[in-house]
Amino acid sequence: MKQNVLTLFVVFICMIMHSNAQIQEVTGRVTSKNDGTSLAGVSVILVGTNIGTQTDASGNYSIQASKDAVLSFTLLGYSA
């Protein structure tokens, strides 16, 4: 009985570690296509969620996302 409980516990821990490994930090820098200058205040949203962030004064962002996530970038006054 003790062996079964221990095995179940190890499997459970491995499943938790695997699910956490699916999430990773995604970082980047948003720049203007025209002249390459950094764009501050760009909204970066995980599509299909309400999870998001904004770029800093240097255009850098960081967000936790799964490998298959799609990011949406929005800044008023600019078009892609």
Side-chain angles (χ1 to χ4, degrees):
M1 179 66 177
K2 196 182 260 187
Q3 183 68 26
N4 288 343
V5 171
L6 182 60
T7 302
L8 183 60
F9 180 72
V10 170
V11 169
F12 180 70
I13 294 298
C14 289
M15 288 173 50
I16 290 173
M17 290 175 60
H18 179 70
S19 66
N20 285 341
Q22 300 297 324
I23 302 294
Q24 61 187 7
E25 184 176 27
V26 178
T27 60
R29 183 170 175 229
V30 180
T31 58
S32 171
K33 180 180 176 181
N34 295 335
D35 57 8
T37 57
S38 299
L39 297 176
V42 176
S43 296
V44 182
I45 306 289
L46 289 172
V47 174
T49 72
N50 61 353
I51 299 170
T53 189
Q54 271 190 322
T55 59
D56 62 15
S58 299
N60 298 312
Y61 68 92
S62 174
I63 191 167
Q64 297 290 322
S66 63
K67 290 183 178 184
D68 61 345
V70 176
L71 299 178
S72 171
F73 298 85
T74 308
L75 179 63
L76 292 176
Y78 278 83
S79 63

